[in-house]
PDB file of all heavy atoms in Angstrom:
ATOM      1  N   SER G   1       2.972 -11.882  -2.193  1.00 98.00           N
ATOM      2  CA  SER G   1       2.766 -12.695  -3.428  1.00 98.00           C
ATOM      3  C   SER G   1       3.292 -11.905  -4.592  1.00 98.00           C
ATOM      4  O   SER G   1       3.082 -10.688  -4.687  1.00 98.00           O
ATOM      5  CB  SER G   1       1.297 -13.015  -3.604  1.00 98.00           C
ATOM      6  OG  SER G   1       0.793 -13.763  -2.507  1.00 98.00           O
ATOM      7  N   THR G   2       3.998 -12.602  -5.514  1.00 98.00           N
ATOM      8  CA  THR G   2       4.822 -11.874  -6.488  1.00 98.00           C
ATOM      9  C   THR G   2       4.782 -12.593  -7.859  1.00 98.00           C
ATOM     10  O   THR G   2       4.625 -13.816  -7.926  1.00 98.00           O
ATOM     11  CB  THR G   2       6.279 -11.814  -6.030  1.00 98.00           C
ATOM     12  OG1 THR G   2       6.345 -11.198  -4.733  1.00 98.00           O
ATOM     13  CG2 THR G   2       7.172 -11.069  -6.967  1.00 98.00           C
ATOM     14  N   VAL G   3       4.927 -11.811  -8.938  1.00 98.00           N
ATOM     15  CA  VAL G   3       5.140 -12.374 -10.256  1.00 98.00           C
ATOM     16  C   VAL G   3       6.405 -11.742 -10.841  1.00 98.00           C
ATOM     17  O   VAL G   3       6.568 -10.500 -10.784  1.00 98.00           O
ATOM     18  CB  VAL G   3       3.952 -12.087 -11.195  1.00 98.00           C
ATOM     19  CG1 VAL G   3       4.181 -12.757 -12.569  1.00 98.00           C
ATOM     20  CG2 VAL G   3       2.639 -12.537 -10.626  1.00 98.00           C
ATOM     21  N   VAL G   4       7.286 -12.595 -11.334  1.00 98.00           N
ATOM     22  CA  VAL G   4       8.544 -12.200 -11.947  1.00 98.00           C
ATOM     23  C   VAL G   4       8.573 -12.624 -13.438  1.00 98.00           C
ATOM     24  O   VAL G   4       8.194 -13.735 -13.734  1.00 98.00           O
ATOM     25  CB  VAL G   4       9.747 -12.775 -11.192  1.00 98.00           C
ATOM     26  CG1 VAL G   4      11.098 -12.340 -11.837  1.00 98.00           C
ATOM     27  CG2 VAL G   4       9.742 -12.365  -9.718  1.00 98.00           C
ATOM     28  N   ASN G   5       9.029 -11.744 -14.293  1.00 98.00           N
ATOM     29  CA  ASN G   5       9.087 -12.089 -15.699  1.00 98.00           C
ATOM     30  C   ASN G   5      10.420 -12.723 -16.082  1.00 98.00           C
ATOM     31  O   ASN G   5      11.334 -12.788 -15.265  1.00 98.00           O
ATOM     32  CB  ASN G   5       8.720 -10.896 -16.607  1.00 98.00           C
ATOM     33  CG  ASN G   5       9.862  -9.819 -16.645  1.00 98.00           C
ATOM     34  OD1 ASN G   5      10.957 -10.038 -16.195  1.00 98.00           O
ATOM     35  ND2 ASN G   5       9.494  -8.639 -17.143  1.00 98.00           N
ATOM     36  N   PRO G   6      10.556 -13.229 -17.323  1.00 98.00           N
ATOM     37  CA  PRO G   6      11.790 -13.971 -17.695  1.00 98.00           C
ATOM     38  C   PRO G   6      13.041 -13.093 -17.702  1.00 98.00           C
ATOM     39  O   PRO G   6      14.163 -13.626 -17.813  1.00 98.00           O
ATOM     40  CB  PRO G   6      11.456 -14.458 -19.078  1.00 98.00           C
ATOM     41  CG  PRO G   6       9.970 -14.515 -19.167  1.00 98.00           C
ATOM     42  CD  PRO G   6       9.530 -13.343 -18.383  1.00 98.00           C
ATOM     43  N   TRP G   7      12.890 -11.781 -17.602  1.00 98.00           N
ATOM     44  CA  TRP G   7      14.035 -10.891 -17.528  1.00 98.00           C
ATOM     45  C   TRP G   7      14.482 -10.670 -16.076  1.00 98.00           C
ATOM     46  O   TRP G   7      15.458  -9.986 -15.797  1.00 98.00           O
ATOM     47  CB  TRP G   7      13.671  -9.527 -18.180  1.00 98.00           C
ATOM     48  CG  TRP G   7      14.815  -8.637 -18.485  1.00 98.00           C
ATOM     49  CD1 TRP G   7      15.193  -7.498 -17.805  1.00 98.00           C
ATOM     50  CD2 TRP G   7      15.816  -8.786 -19.521  1.00 98.00           C
ATOM     51  NE1 TRP G   7      16.308  -6.911 -18.357  1.00 98.00           N
ATOM     52  CE2 TRP G   7      16.725  -7.697 -19.425  1.00 98.00           C
ATOM     53  CE3 TRP G   7      16.002  -9.693 -20.545  1.00 98.00           C
ATOM     54  CZ2 TRP G   7      17.780  -7.527 -20.251  1.00 98.00           C
ATOM     55  CZ3 TRP G   7      17.096  -9.522 -21.399  1.00 98.00           C
ATOM     56  CH2 TRP G   7      17.968  -8.441 -21.281  1.00 98.00           C
ATOM     57  N   GLY G   8      13.714 -11.257 -15.157  1.00 98.00           N
ATOM     58  CA  GLY G   8      14.035 -11.114 -13.754  1.00 98.00           C
ATOM     59  C   GLY G   8      13.373  -9.901 -13.108  1.00 98.00           C
ATOM     60  O   GLY G   8      13.719  -9.551 -11.930  1.00 98.00           O
ATOM     61  N   GLU G   9      12.450  -9.262 -13.782  1.00 98.00           N
ATOM     62  CA  GLU G   9      11.796  -8.071 -13.248  1.00 98.00           C
ATOM     63  C   GLU G   9      10.552  -8.462 -12.453  1.00 98.00           C
ATOM     64  O   GLU G   9       9.770  -9.311 -12.901  1.00 98.00           O
ATOM     65  CB  GLU G   9      11.391  -7.136 -14.395  1.00 98.00           C
ATOM     66  CG  GLU G   9      12.516  -6.591 -15.216  1.00 98.00           C
ATOM     67  CD  GLU G   9      12.081  -5.907 -16.464  1.00 98.00           C
ATOM     68  OE1 GLU G   9      11.147  -6.383 -17.136  1.00 98.00           O
ATOM     69  OE2 GLU G   9      12.651  -4.828 -16.778  1.00 98.00           O
ATOM     70  N   VAL G  10      10.352  -7.811 -11.323  1.00 98.00           N
ATOM     71  CA  VAL G  10       9.116  -8.010 -10.559  1.00 98.00           C
ATOM     72  C   VAL G  10       8.042  -7.169 -11.240  1.00 98.00           C
ATOM     73  O   VAL G  10       8.165  -5.922 -11.312  1.00 98.00           O
ATOM     74  CB  VAL G  10       9.299  -7.551  -9.097  1.00 98.00           C
ATOM     75  CG1 VAL G  10       7.977  -7.604  -8.362  1.00 98.00           C
ATOM     76  CG2 VAL G  10      10.312  -8.427  -8.403  1.00 98.00           C
ATOM     77  N   ILE G  11       7.018  -7.828 -11.788  1.00 98.00           N
ATOM     78  CA  ILE G  11       5.981  -7.130 -12.533  1.00 98.00           C
ATOM     79  C   ILE G  11       4.674  -6.957 -11.729  1.00 98.00           C
ATOM     80  O   ILE G  11       3.772  -6.237 -12.135  1.00 98.00           O
ATOM     81  CB  ILE G  11       5.720  -7.758 -13.900  1.00 98.00           C
ATOM     82  CG1 ILE G  11       5.309  -9.230 -13.762  1.00 98.00           C
ATOM     83  CG2 ILE G  11       6.951  -7.648 -14.775  1.00 98.00           C
ATOM     84  CD1 ILE G  11       4.900  -9.875 -15.087  1.00 98.00           C
ATOM     85  N   ALA G  12       4.584  -7.661 -10.609  1.00 98.00           N
ATOM     86  CA  ALA G  12       3.422  -7.522  -9.740  1.00 98.00           C
ATOM     87  C   ALA G  12       3.780  -8.017  -8.369  1.00 98.00           C
ATOM     88  O   ALA G  12       4.517  -9.012  -8.246  1.00 98.00           O
ATOM     89  CB  ALA G  12       2.210  -8.352 -10.258  1.00 98.00           C
ATOM     90  N   LYS G  13       3.309  -7.314  -7.318  1.00 98.00           N
ATOM     91  CA  LYS G  13       3.716  -7.721  -5.966  1.00 98.00           C
ATOM     92  C   LYS G  13       2.713  -7.181  -4.984  1.00 98.00           C
ATOM     93  O   LYS G  13       2.299  -6.010  -5.021  1.00 98.00           O
ATOM     94  CB  LYS G  13       5.107  -7.146  -5.659  1.00 98.00           C
ATOM     95  CG  LYS G  13       5.687  -7.607  -4.335  1.00 98.00           C
ATOM     96  CD  LYS G  13       7.109  -7.120  -4.174  1.00 98.00           C
ATOM     97  CE  LYS G  13       7.769  -7.604  -2.913  1.00 98.00           C
ATOM     98  NZ  LYS G  13       9.171  -7.134  -2.795  1.00 98.00           N
ATOM     99  N   ALA G  14       2.330  -8.026  -4.024  1.00 98.00           N
ATOM    100  CA  ALA G  14       1.410  -7.639  -2.978  1.00 98.00           C
ATOM    101  C   ALA G  14       2.240  -7.117  -1.744  1.00 98.00           C
ATOM    102  O   ALA G  14       3.455  -7.306  -1.681  1.00 98.00           O
ATOM    103  CB  ALA G  14       0.560  -8.823  -2.524  1.00 98.00           C
ATOM    104  N   GLY G  15       1.515  -6.551  -0.826  1.00 98.00           N
ATOM    105  CA  GLY G  15       2.115  -6.276   0.489  1.00 98.00           C
ATOM    106  C   GLY G  15       1.856  -7.404   1.439  1.00 98.00           C
ATOM    107  O   GLY G  15       1.964  -8.576   1.052  1.00 98.00           O
ATOM    108  N   ALA G  16       1.502  -7.105   2.659  1.00 98.00           N
ATOM    109  CA  ALA G  16       1.261  -8.143   3.664  1.00 98.00           C
ATOM    110  C   ALA G  16      -0.216  -8.466   3.849  1.00 98.00           C
ATOM    111  O   ALA G  16      -0.556  -9.514   4.376  1.00 98.00           O
ATOM    112  CB  ALA G  16       1.874  -7.730   4.994  1.00 98.00           C
ATOM    113  N   GLU G  17      -1.103  -7.577   3.378  1.00 97.00           N
ATOM    114  CA  GLU G  17      -2.524  -7.714   3.646  1.00 97.00           C
ATOM    115  C   GLU G  17      -3.205  -8.628   2.645  1.00 97.00           C
ATOM    116  O   GLU G  17      -2.656  -9.004   1.648  1.00 97.00           O
ATOM    117  CB  GLU G  17      -3.154  -6.325   3.593  1.00 97.00           C
ATOM    118  CG  GLU G  17      -3.279  -5.722   2.209  1.00 97.00           C
ATOM    119  CD  GLU G  17      -1.972  -5.265   1.597  1.00 97.00           C
ATOM    120  OE1 GLU G  17      -0.979  -5.103   2.335  1.00 97.00           O
ATOM    121  OE2 GLU G  17      -1.904  -5.052   0.354  1.00 97.00           O
ATOM    122  N   GLU G  18      -4.482  -8.978   2.959  1.00 97.00           N
ATOM    123  CA  GLU G  18      -5.256  -9.763   2.010  1.00 97.00           C
ATOM    124  C   GLU G  18      -5.519  -8.969   0.777  1.00 97.00           C
ATOM    125  O   GLU G  18      -5.940  -7.814   0.816  1.00 97.00           O
ATOM    126  CB  GLU G  18      -6.586 -10.222   2.627  1.00 97.00           C
ATOM    127  CG  GLU G  18      -7.467 -10.999   1.670  1.00 97.00           C
ATOM    128  CD  GLU G  18      -8.744 -11.585   2.309  1.00 97.00           C
ATOM    129  OE1 GLU G  18      -8.642 -12.570   3.046  1.00 97.00           O
ATOM    130  OE2 GLU G  18      -9.821 -11.011   2.069  1.00 97.00           O
ATOM    131  N   THR G  19      -5.271  -9.536  -0.381  1.00 98.00           N
ATOM    132  CA  THR G  19      -5.491  -8.856  -1.659  1.00 98.00           C
ATOM    133  C   THR G  19      -5.474  -9.859  -2.792  1.00 98.00           C
ATOM    134  O   THR G  19      -5.133 -11.036  -2.566  1.00 98.00           O
ATOM    135  CB  THR G  19      -4.375  -7.783  -1.895  1.00 98.00           C
ATOM    136  OG1 THR G  19      -4.697  -6.980  -3.010  1.00 98.00           O
ATOM    137  CG2 THR G  19      -3.027  -8.460  -2.137  1.00 98.00           C
ATOM    138  N   VAL G  20      -5.856  -9.426  -3.973  1.00 98.00           N
ATOM    139  CA  VAL G  20      -5.712 -10.211  -5.187  1.00 98.00           C
ATOM    140  C   VAL G  20      -4.752  -9.481  -6.147  1.00 98.00           C
ATOM    141  O   VAL G  20      -4.947  -8.316  -6.448  1.00 98.00           O
ATOM    142  CB  VAL G  20      -7.061 -10.446  -5.888  1.00 98.00           C
ATOM    143  CG1 VAL G  20      -6.845 -11.326  -7.133  1.00 98.00           C
ATOM    144  CG2 VAL G  20      -8.042 -11.122  -4.949  1.00 98.00           C
ATOM    145  N   VAL G  21      -3.709 -10.164  -6.580  1.00 98.00           N
ATOM    146  CA  VAL G  21      -2.689  -9.619  -7.447  1.00 98.00           C
ATOM    147  C   VAL G  21      -3.002 -10.064  -8.869  1.00 98.00           C
ATOM    148  O   VAL G  21      -3.142 -11.245  -9.130  1.00 98.00           O
ATOM    149  CB  VAL G  21      -1.274 -10.059  -7.043  1.00 98.00           C
ATOM    150  CG1 VAL G  21      -0.237  -9.544  -8.046  1.00 98.00           C
ATOM    151  CG2 VAL G  21      -0.938  -9.626  -5.661  1.00 98.00           C
ATOM    152  N   TYR G  22      -3.098  -9.112  -9.791  1.00 98.00           N
ATOM    153  CA  TYR G  22      -3.361  -9.451 -11.179  1.00 98.00           C
ATOM    154  C   TYR G  22      -2.120  -9.067 -12.061  1.00 98.00           C
ATOM    155  O   TYR G  22      -1.453  -8.038 -11.826  1.00 98.00           O
ATOM    156  CB  TYR G  22      -4.538  -8.622 -11.738  1.00 98.00           C
ATOM    157  CG  TYR G  22      -5.840  -8.940 -11.044  1.00 98.00           C
ATOM    158  CD1 TYR G  22      -6.295  -8.196  -9.930  1.00 98.00           C
ATOM    159  CD2 TYR G  22      -6.658  -9.984 -11.467  1.00 98.00           C
ATOM    160  CE1 TYR G  22      -7.480  -8.476  -9.349  1.00 98.00           C
ATOM    161  CE2 TYR G  22      -7.856 -10.256 -10.855  1.00 98.00           C
ATOM    162  CZ  TYR G  22      -8.257  -9.500  -9.743  1.00 98.00           C
ATOM    163  OH  TYR G  22      -9.438  -9.788  -9.131  1.00 98.00           O
ATOM    164  N   THR G  23      -1.855  -9.871 -13.064  1.00 98.00           N
ATOM    165  CA  THR G  23      -0.846  -9.513 -14.017  1.00 98.00           C
ATOM    166  C   THR G  23      -1.132 -10.256 -15.299  1.00 98.00           C
ATOM    167  O   THR G  23      -1.751 -11.339 -15.300  1.00 98.00           O
ATOM    168  CB  THR G  23       0.566  -9.864 -13.539  1.00 98.00           C
ATOM    169  OG1 THR G  23       1.524  -9.248 -14.380  1.00 98.00           O
ATOM    170  CG2 THR G  23       0.804 -11.350 -13.504  1.00 98.00           C
ATOM    171  N   ASP G  24      -0.660  -9.686 -16.418  1.00 97.00           N
ATOM    172  CA  ASP G  24      -0.829 -10.327 -17.716  1.00 97.00           C
ATOM    173  C   ASP G  24       0.496 -11.044 -18.078  1.00 97.00           C
ATOM    174  O   ASP G  24       1.553 -10.400 -18.096  1.00 97.00           O
ATOM    175  CB  ASP G  24      -1.195  -9.323 -18.781  1.00 97.00           C
ATOM    176  CG  ASP G  24      -2.589  -8.741 -18.575  1.00 97.00           C
ATOM    177  OD1 ASP G  24      -3.487  -9.535 -18.175  1.00 97.00           O
ATOM    178  OD2 ASP G  24      -2.805  -7.531 -18.743  1.00 97.00           O
ATOM    179  N   ILE G  25       0.403 -12.305 -18.365  1.00 98.00           N
ATOM    180  CA  ILE G  25       1.547 -13.106 -18.787  1.00 98.00           C
ATOM    181  C   ILE G  25       1.724 -12.963 -20.297  1.00 98.00           C
ATOM    182  O   ILE G  25       0.845 -13.372 -21.065  1.00 98.00           O
ATOM    183  CB  ILE G  25       1.336 -14.579 -18.385  1.00 98.00           C
ATOM    184  CG1 ILE G  25       1.135 -14.734 -16.861  1.00 98.00           C
ATOM    185  CG2 ILE G  25       2.528 -15.434 -18.859  1.00 98.00           C
ATOM    186  CD1 ILE G  25       2.285 -14.253 -16.007  1.00 98.00           C
TER     187      ILE G  25
END
């Protein structure tokens, strides 16, 4: 699971395991 910003940068990313990904928009 991933979050990408408008510049195309990955700013948060999970691996394969169960987790919660947090990021500030």
